[in-house]
């Protein structure tokens, strides 16, 4: 790697997040986008990335050559679609390049594939690239461990009407962290309740997805005890937040060895 800006290959470049990363990169002296990849069918395929993102030209066109893009970059950022993952992982491993993956809606097999690839390249997966969510997850872990049983956990999330997967990857990440922190809680995750649901068992985590409008992303973890209720909330103000988080993760990964990392590692939490 040279002493200049860190070169980024951006996958899903023509999408909402891809364009936001392009804008954040335009504003950062530490990185430059060296390649932009998307599907030929994507709206914006073949266009100049900076123009597409509403900033000055970045000297990169949105193309389809994944392996070539990765070879020309120091780090890759994937914010595309689960269907792209297999090809992205194969290309990152073949090119020997670190990968930040923020694509959500992955299934078990795809998560296992991420972990396998992390045996060969530095790989950071974050269902939510915002530093605030990493801090919220750490706070939730501490709260659950300190409060012990007797506090019911419900997680409520809201996102814009165009989001494809539910519940959000972040809500599942929060539920997973809480499960780990409450060692005795082999909790079942319940999505919504209706009809004669019966009394709420203690070993249950409710995860509820609201969808509507242009909401960027909101998560609240509610710990309800018999006599008190704690709520830990995070509200994303704009998707630029995730874009700057993606660049922060990429800069961290550029100096890391092979392994499976999270935003906690990038933030030194
Ligand atoms: P979007 O639909 O606007 O953009 C996705 C882009 O990926 C599109 O341009 C699409 O053409 C492209 N794409 C789809 N399949 C592809 C393939 N096989 N190869 C290459 N490109 C392909 O969606 P978005 O709002 O930009 O979100 C993209 C992803 O990032 C989603 O999974 C979303 O949930 C996730 N996301 C993650 C975070 C985070 O912090 N980790 C934040 C926001 C969104």
């Amino acid at each position: 790697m040279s002493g200049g800006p860190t070169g980024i290959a951006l996958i899903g470049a023509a999408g909402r997040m891809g364009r936001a990363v392009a804008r954040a990169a335009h504003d950062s002296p530490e990185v430059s986008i060296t390649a932009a990849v998307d599907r030929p069918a994507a709206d914006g395929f073949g266009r100049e990335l900076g123009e597409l993102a509403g900033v000055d030209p970045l000297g990169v066109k949105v193309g389809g050559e994944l392996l070539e893009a990765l070879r020309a970059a120091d780090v890759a950022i994937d914010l595309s679609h689960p269907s792209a993952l297999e090809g992205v992982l194969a290309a990152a491993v073949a090119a020997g390049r670190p990968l930040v993956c923020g694509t959500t809606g992955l299934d078990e097999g795809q998560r296992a594939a991420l972990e396998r690839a992390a045996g060969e390249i530095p790989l950071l997966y974050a269902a939510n690239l915002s530093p605030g969510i990493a801090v919220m997850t750490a706070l939730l872990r501490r709260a659950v461990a300190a409060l012990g049983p007797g506090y019911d956990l419900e997680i409520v999330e809201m996102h814009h009407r165009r989001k494809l997967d539910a519940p959000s990857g972040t809500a599942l990440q929060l539920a997973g962290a809480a499960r780990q922190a409450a060692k005795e809680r082999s909790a079942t995750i319940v999505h919504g309740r209706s009809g004669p649901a019966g009394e709420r068992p203690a070993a249950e985590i409710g995860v509820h997805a609201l969808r509507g409008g242009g909401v960027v992303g909101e998560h609240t973890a509610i710990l309800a005890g018999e006599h008190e209720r704690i709520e830990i909330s995070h509200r994303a103000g704009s998707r630029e937040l995730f874009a700057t988080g993606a660049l922060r993760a990429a800069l961290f990964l550029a100096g890391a060895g092979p392994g499976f990392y999270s935003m906690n590692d990038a933030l030194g939490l």
Side-chain angles (χ1 to χ4, degrees):
M1 266 158 242
S2 69
T6 299
I8 309 274
L10 184 57
I11 302 153
R16 287 180 292 261
M17 275 309 303
R19 294 176 203 209
V21 173
R23 286 191 291 277
H26 171 264
D27 294 340
S28 166
E30 292 180 278
V31 299
S32 73
I33 307 281
T34 49
V37 179
D38 211 300
R39 293 177 301 165
D43 195 13
F45 188 83
R47 291 210 22 218
E48 208 289 327
L49 181 63
E51 276 172 24
L52 193 59
V55 291
D56 301 329
L58 292 168
V60 183
K61 279 192 177 161
V62 180
E65 290 299 327
L66 195 51
L67 188 58
E68 214 173 274
L70 282 160
R71 286 206 172 114
D74 297 312
V75 187
I77 296 176
D78 173 21
L79 283 157
S80 61
H81 187 268
S83 62
L85 188 72
E86 195 183 338
V88 169
L89 289 178
V93 168
R97 293 295 184 267
L99 172 69
V100 175
C101 180
T103 299
T104 68
L106 305 183
D107 63 26
E108 296 270 308
Q110 288 167 326
R111 288 185 155 270
L114 285 177
E115 288 185 29
R116 276 197 304 279
E120 298 186 55
I121 55 167
L123 196 151
L124 187 151
Y125 181 75
N128 192 309
L129 288 155
S130 95
I133 283 287
V135 171
M136 178 180 174
T137 308
L139 289 174
L140 180 62
R141 265 186 223 278
R142 290 191 67 178
V144 167
L147 292 170
Y151 287 76
D152 298 323
L153 174 61
E154 298 277 309
I155 296 168
V156 183
E157 56 100 338
M158 180 158 192
H159 283 84
H160 54 87
R161 65 165 77 94
R162 292 170 300 277
K163 184 165 176 63
L164 299 178
D165 50 318
S168 70
T170 307
L172 294 175
Q173 173 186 303
L174 289 166
R179 247 185 189 158
Q180 268 181 356
K183 293 185 190 91
E184 73 279 38
R185 198 196 299 237
S186 55
T188 318
I189 294 181
V190 173
H191 304 289
R193 296 183 183 89
S194 82
E199 271 191 32
R200 184 197 199 284
E204 190 169 282
I205 298 176
V207 179
H208 313 289
L210 317 185
R211 292 288 174 269
V215 177
V216 176
E218 300 185 355
H219 294 85
T220 297
I222 303 163
L223 283 157
E226 202 59 55
H227 307 291
E228 64 179 349
R229 190 165 82 230
I230 297 170
E231 298 189 7
I232 309 173
S233 287
H234 177 271
R235 294 191 176 84
S238 81
R239 65 182 70 247
E240 314 298 324
L241 163 72
F242 308 122
T244 51
L247 294 184
R248 196 160 164 178
L251 288 168
F252 161 77
L253 222 52
F260 197 41
Y261 300 97
S262 71
M263 280 308 275
N264 283 11
D265 301 303
L267 299 177
L269 271 170

